[in-house]
Amino acid sequence: MHEPGGATVTDVTSNGGRKVGILLADDRVEDLRVLTEVLASPTHELVTATTGAEALRHLLERDFAAIVLDVMMPGMDGFELAALIRSRKRSAQTPILFLTGVGSDSAALRRAYALGAVDYLCKPVDAEILRAKVGVFVQLFEKDRRIYEQAEELLDAARRTRELELEQVRLTGVRRYQNLADAIPQIVWTADNSGAPTFFNRRWFEYTGAEGERQWLIAVHPEELPTCEERWKKALRDGEPFETICRLRAGDETYRWHLCRVLPEQGTAGETVGWIGTFTDLDELLRAHRKAERAIRIRDEFLSVASHELRTPLSALLVQLGSLERTVEGAEEKLRRKVSAALRHTNRLTKLVDNLLDISRLSTQRIPLELEDFDLSEMVRDVGDRFGEEARQAGCELVINARHGTIGRWDRLRIEQVMTNLLSNAVKYGRGRPIEVEVGSENGAARLRVRDEGIGIASEDQVRIFDRFERLAPAQHFGGLGLGLYITRTIVEAHGGAIEVASSPGAGATFVVRLPLRALEWTPRGSTQVEEAR
Ligand code: ADP
């Protein structure tokens, strides 16, 4: 919309309306005086100019409702001035009324209209006609100005409504945000991008007993304060989040451990517009975790002492039974069977005690390996021979497929333990069906496979059976502590190898162990890392 210059009209009429400017340009002072007299009115502000240049200066300063121009002026004549007036955006629409004393020369008339004159009057002007013509322009100008002002008012009203609505939305958002922050059990605070606090939720005031919104650092324990301050300063500088654990002072002057998390809040262009911080109370959790660690340590110490104490008389008993077995070699069948059964049970008891001893060791230290070169196939055949009786008693046919030599560098006793654990499980869970053991090699590694046709293992349980104390079968049907496979895996991994199982319920299980041929290259002697799984 064209702005008709109401803003530059500062003079005010008696009835409160603003005066309307009319520019009168004529080189003859006498003619100007006549024009001024004719057009004088309380609602008009008549601005006079005796040269084209002076008229232009006035036009630069303000807007006019109409311009009355004398055609014949020295220097810049009325036509040139009209051309300049039209070329300026601000005055391009201002009505121009030409005055001439030359009479109605038709060429001059055409030129005047071509320059956008709205009318043409001859001197001496008829006062009534001039007043009437200028009056029409003034009316138009005022109408324009009123329309413009009304439009401005409407726009203003619309702007104010929109601002109110936006403020409403903002307030609703803030209220919801604060309600949410008040509803959660954590402490929540916000700060502006300089780090100055802007909000603390209810929990902050409940916990700290603080009044007013001060910096969150006031509640941090003096020991953690320097770290918190440093991390906060760095976060403010880099716009990066941080997390730390610190004690916070409660209203009763006690301290509780909290997880402190501070995150930058980002604007649409990714710039940091503020900060959000939370404190989560970890006190109970940390105390329980301490307590739990202590309980585990006590358990492991007990296991270690108990299994040591049990191992000593058991070793003596084994020696005694071994010599008793030799002594009764020629004795009657019944006696021999009883002695070998006693020996078998004692062996089994020894194995259980050994497992307990291993477990207590594995939780505190690495597993030491005594590496030597030996033939895995030969070892597997030996263990198979020793298991013959146990397998027979369980009704399982034991097939050992280990004809070819598979020489490697491993810990003989530990690998025997692996084989024993897998075979005894195959016998225990094998439902009296055949058991097949195979030794082979693949990709430069030795492979030991133990396959049974027993109860099998569901796929969702196949990972956890290698963890400590994990048992699937009910204790009343199958004894065991759930330690054998954990120890087996630990030994295999200590050699740099891996163990896996393929099975499905009712279809038996196949355990495959892969060992690098030279364990030394993978794990230096005596420094094998054992996972401290809890
Ligand atoms: P456990 O002393 O209880 O046998 P293990 O660590 O040797 O402990 O085995 C963990 C669990 O894995 C067993 O309780 C059993 O449920 C399952 N399991 C192990 N070997 C077999 C197998 N050959 N067939 C079926 N289930 C098995």
Side-chain angles (χ1 to χ4, degrees), residues 214-233:
R214 289 165 62 199
Q215 187 55 271
W216 57 273
L217 286 163
I218 57 159
V220 175
H221 191 282
E223 276 177 34
E224 285 88 55
L225 188 59
T227 314
C228 284
E229 271 178 327
E230 196 185 310
R231 308 272 318 255
W232 178 221
K233 266 190 211 150

mmCIF file of all heavy atoms in Angstrom, residues 214-233:
data_model
loop_
_atom_site.group_PDB
_atom_site.id
_atom_site.type_symbol
_atom_site.label_atom_id
_atom_site.label_comp_id
_atom_site.label_asym_id
_atom_site.label_seq_id
_atom_site.Cartn_x
_atom_site.Cartn_y
_atom_site.Cartn_z
ATOM 1 N N ARG A 214 19.425 -21.087 43.001
ATOM 2 C CA ARG A 214 20.841 -20.749 42.934
ATOM 3 C C ARG A 214 21.580 -21.820 42.158
ATOM 4 O O ARG A 214 21.009 -22.836 41.786
ATOM 5 C CB ARG A 214 21.389 -20.618 44.353
ATOM 6 C CG ARG A 214 20.830 -19.337 45.028
ATOM 7 C CD ARG A 214 21.040 -19.375 46.509
ATOM 8 N NE ARG A 214 22.457 -19.418 46.822
ATOM 9 C CZ ARG A 214 22.929 -19.817 47.993
ATOM 10 N NH1 ARG A 214 22.105 -20.200 48.930
ATOM 11 N NH2 ARG A 214 24.223 -19.845 48.213
ATOM 12 N N GLN A 215 22.845 -21.619 41.927
ATOM 13 C CA GLN A 215 23.640 -22.553 41.139
ATOM 14 C C GLN A 215 23.624 -23.954 41.778
ATOM 15 O O GLN A 215 23.720 -24.086 42.995
ATOM 16 C CB GLN A 215 25.072 -21.989 41.086
ATOM 17 C CG GLN A 215 26.018 -22.699 40.185
ATOM 18 C CD GLN A 215 25.528 -22.801 38.764
ATOM 19 O OE1 GLN A 215 24.846 -23.766 38.451
ATOM 20 N NE2 GLN A 215 25.842 -21.848 37.916
ATOM 21 N N TRP A 216 23.489 -25.022 40.926
ATOM 22 C CA TRP A 216 23.379 -26.384 41.446
ATOM 23 C C TRP A 216 24.627 -26.814 42.207
ATOM 24 O O TRP A 216 24.576 -27.689 43.073
ATOM 25 C CB TRP A 216 23.079 -27.372 40.314
ATOM 26 C CG TRP A 216 24.070 -27.382 39.184
ATOM 27 C CD1 TRP A 216 24.058 -26.592 38.088
ATOM 28 C CD2 TRP A 216 25.227 -28.203 39.054
ATOM 29 N NE1 TRP A 216 25.113 -26.870 37.270
ATOM 30 C CE2 TRP A 216 25.859 -27.863 37.845
ATOM 31 C CE3 TRP A 216 25.808 -29.214 39.832
ATOM 32 C CZ2 TRP A 216 27.024 -28.474 37.395
ATOM 33 C CZ3 TRP A 216 26.964 -29.822 39.387
ATOM 34 C CH2 TRP A 216 27.563 -29.459 38.189
ATOM 35 N N LEU A 217 25.768 -26.182 41.907
ATOM 36 C CA LEU A 217 27.029 -26.586 42.535
ATOM 37 C C LEU A 217 27.033 -26.379 44.049
ATOM 38 O O LEU A 217 27.840 -26.977 44.753
ATOM 39 C CB LEU A 217 28.184 -25.791 41.905
ATOM 40 C CG LEU A 217 28.576 -26.224 40.491
ATOM 41 C CD1 LEU A 217 29.402 -25.145 39.814
ATOM 42 C CD2 LEU A 217 29.341 -27.536 40.500
ATOM 43 N N ILE A 218 26.078 -25.538 44.545
ATOM 44 C CA ILE A 218 26.078 -25.247 45.991
ATOM 45 C C ILE A 218 25.853 -26.508 46.820
ATOM 46 O O ILE A 218 26.221 -26.538 47.987
ATOM 47 C CB ILE A 218 24.999 -24.203 46.389
ATOM 48 C CG1 ILE A 218 23.614 -24.701 45.943
ATOM 49 C CG2 ILE A 218 25.297 -22.819 45.871
ATOM 50 C CD1 ILE A 218 22.478 -24.045 46.699
ATOM 51 N N ALA A 219 25.224 -27.551 46.210
ATOM 52 C CA ALA A 219 24.889 -28.731 47.005
ATOM 53 C C ALA A 219 25.935 -29.846 46.874
ATOM 54 O O ALA A 219 25.831 -30.869 47.540
ATOM 55 C CB ALA A 219 23.520 -29.254 46.584
ATOM 56 N N VAL A 220 26.934 -29.650 46.000
ATOM 57 C CA VAL A 220 27.906 -30.729 45.754
ATOM 58 C C VAL A 220 28.909 -30.825 46.907
ATOM 59 O O VAL A 220 29.349 -29.812 47.452
ATOM 60 C CB VAL A 220 28.638 -30.487 44.409
ATOM 61 C CG1 VAL A 220 29.739 -31.507 44.188
ATOM 62 C CG2 VAL A 220 27.634 -30.537 43.264
ATOM 63 N N HIS A 221 29.255 -32.057 47.270
ATOM 64 C CA HIS A 221 30.204 -32.303 48.364
ATOM 65 C C HIS A 221 31.555 -31.646 48.040
ATOM 66 O O HIS A 221 32.011 -31.710 46.901
ATOM 67 C CB HIS A 221 30.395 -33.815 48.531
ATOM 68 C CG HIS A 221 31.129 -34.194 49.766
ATOM 69 N ND1 HIS A 221 32.488 -34.089 49.894
ATOM 70 C CD2 HIS A 221 30.672 -34.659 50.962
ATOM 71 C CE1 HIS A 221 32.856 -34.491 51.105
ATOM 72 N NE2 HIS A 221 31.765 -34.849 51.765
ATOM 73 N N PRO A 222 32.205 -31.021 49.058
ATOM 74 C CA PRO A 222 33.467 -30.311 48.787
ATOM 75 C C PRO A 222 34.518 -31.185 48.083
ATOM 76 O O PRO A 222 35.311 -30.677 47.296
ATOM 77 C CB PRO A 222 33.954 -29.900 50.172
ATOM 78 C CG PRO A 222 32.749 -29.927 51.035
ATOM 79 C CD PRO A 222 31.767 -30.883 50.444
ATOM 80 N N GLU A 223 34.491 -32.502 48.339
ATOM 81 C CA GLU A 223 35.509 -33.348 47.704
ATOM 82 C C GLU A 223 35.290 -33.497 46.198
ATOM 83 O O GLU A 223 36.232 -33.643 45.433
ATOM 84 C CB GLU A 223 35.527 -34.739 48.351
ATOM 85 C CG GLU A 223 36.377 -34.756 49.599
ATOM 86 C CD GLU A 223 36.351 -36.101 50.290
ATOM 87 O OE1 GLU A 223 36.264 -37.135 49.595
ATOM 88 O OE2 GLU A 223 36.388 -36.099 51.534
ATOM 89 N N GLU A 224 34.013 -33.518 45.789
ATOM 90 C CA GLU A 224 33.745 -33.658 44.356
ATOM 91 C C GLU A 224 33.583 -32.300 43.662
ATOM 92 O O GLU A 224 33.496 -32.233 42.443
ATOM 93 C CB GLU A 224 32.462 -34.476 44.116
ATOM 94 C CG GLU A 224 32.605 -35.966 44.344
ATOM 95 C CD GLU A 224 32.342 -36.336 45.794
ATOM 96 O OE1 GLU A 224 31.264 -35.987 46.315
ATOM 97 O OE2 GLU A 224 33.217 -36.947 46.396
ATOM 98 N N LEU A 225 33.509 -31.256 44.479
ATOM 99 C CA LEU A 225 33.218 -29.933 43.912
ATOM 100 C C LEU A 225 34.234 -29.480 42.846
ATOM 101 O O LEU A 225 33.820 -29.044 41.757
ATOM 102 C CB LEU A 225 33.105 -28.899 45.046
ATOM 103 C CG LEU A 225 32.627 -27.523 44.619
ATOM 104 C CD1 LEU A 225 31.254 -27.582 43.970
ATOM 105 C CD2 LEU A 225 32.575 -26.571 45.809
ATOM 106 N N PRO A 226 35.551 -29.603 43.100
ATOM 107 C CA PRO A 226 36.498 -29.136 42.078
ATOM 108 C C PRO A 226 36.291 -29.849 40.744
ATOM 109 O O PRO A 226 36.291 -29.221 39.686
ATOM 110 C CB PRO A 226 37.863 -29.476 42.668
ATOM 111 C CG PRO A 226 37.637 -29.598 44.139
ATOM 112 C CD PRO A 226 36.234 -30.084 44.314
ATOM 113 N N THR A 227 36.064 -31.180 40.787
ATOM 114 C CA THR A 227 35.839 -31.929 39.540
ATOM 115 C C THR A 227 34.579 -31.436 38.850
ATOM 116 O O THR A 227 34.569 -31.200 37.637
ATOM 117 C CB THR A 227 35.674 -33.445 39.855
ATOM 118 O OG1 THR A 227 36.699 -33.802 40.748
ATOM 119 C CG2 THR A 227 35.719 -34.282 38.598
ATOM 120 N N CYS A 228 33.492 -31.292 39.642
ATOM 121 C CA CYS A 228 32.220 -30.858 39.045
ATOM 122 C C CYS A 228 32.378 -29.471 38.414
ATOM 123 O O CYS A 228 31.897 -29.240 37.300
ATOM 124 C CB CYS A 228 31.118 -30.822 40.091
ATOM 125 S SG CYS A 228 30.510 -32.455 40.494
ATOM 126 N N GLU A 229 33.050 -28.583 39.143
ATOM 127 C CA GLU A 229 33.220 -27.217 38.621
ATOM 128 C C GLU A 229 33.992 -27.231 37.308
ATOM 129 O O GLU A 229 33.612 -26.575 36.337
ATOM 130 C CB GLU A 229 33.963 -26.352 39.647
ATOM 131 C CG GLU A 229 33.017 -25.684 40.614
ATOM 132 C CD GLU A 229 33.769 -24.877 41.665
ATOM 133 O OE1 GLU A 229 34.886 -25.286 42.042
ATOM 134 O OE2 GLU A 229 33.223 -23.858 42.113
ATOM 135 N N GLU A 230 35.062 -28.029 37.316
ATOM 136 C CA GLU A 230 35.917 -28.092 36.116
ATOM 137 C C GLU A 230 35.137 -28.655 34.920
ATOM 138 O O GLU A 230 35.176 -28.115 33.812
ATOM 139 C CB GLU A 230 37.101 -28.999 36.443
ATOM 140 C CG GLU A 230 38.241 -28.873 35.470
ATOM 141 C CD GLU A 230 39.312 -29.894 35.799
ATOM 142 O OE1 GLU A 230 39.715 -29.962 36.989
ATOM 143 O OE2 GLU A 230 39.699 -30.627 34.902
ATOM 144 N N ARG A 231 34.369 -29.760 35.163
ATOM 145 C CA ARG A 231 33.612 -30.383 34.065
ATOM 146 C C ARG A 231 32.532 -29.426 33.545
ATOM 147 O O ARG A 231 32.242 -29.360 32.371
ATOM 148 C CB ARG A 231 32.945 -31.696 34.540
ATOM 149 C CG ARG A 231 33.883 -32.669 35.211
ATOM 150 C CD ARG A 231 34.577 -33.623 34.272
ATOM 151 N NE ARG A 231 33.786 -34.188 33.223
ATOM 152 C CZ ARG A 231 33.334 -35.430 33.184
ATOM 153 N NH1 ARG A 231 33.584 -36.240 34.191
ATOM 154 N NH2 ARG A 231 32.665 -35.879 32.143
ATOM 155 N N TRP A 232 31.909 -28.688 34.479
ATOM 156 C CA TRP A 232 30.830 -27.757 34.113
ATOM 157 C C TRP A 232 31.399 -26.615 33.272
ATOM 158 O O TRP A 232 30.841 -26.241 32.253
ATOM 159 C CB TRP A 232 30.165 -27.286 35.400
ATOM 160 C CG TRP A 232 29.036 -26.279 35.332
ATOM 161 C CD1 TRP A 232 28.859 -25.241 36.180
ATOM 162 C CD2 TRP A 232 27.920 -26.221 34.426
ATOM 163 N NE1 TRP A 232 27.717 -24.556 35.862
ATOM 164 C CE2 TRP A 232 27.120 -25.131 34.775
ATOM 165 C CE3 TRP A 232 27.521 -26.994 33.335
ATOM 166 C CZ2 TRP A 232 25.958 -24.776 34.094
ATOM 167 C CZ3 TRP A 232 26.356 -26.653 32.654
ATOM 168 C CH2 TRP A 232 25.602 -25.552 33.022
ATOM 169 N N LYS A 233 32.561 -26.096 33.682
ATOM 170 C CA LYS A 233 33.183 -25.003 32.927
ATOM 171 C C LYS A 233 33.544 -25.464 31.524
ATOM 172 O O LYS A 233 33.309 -24.780 30.534
ATOM 173 C CB LYS A 233 34.477 -24.547 33.641
ATOM 174 C CG LYS A 233 34.245 -23.393 34.576
ATOM 175 C CD LYS A 233 35.578 -22.847 35.054
ATOM 176 C CE LYS A 233 35.434 -22.279 36.447
ATOM 177 N NZ LYS A 233 36.642 -22.367 37.228
#
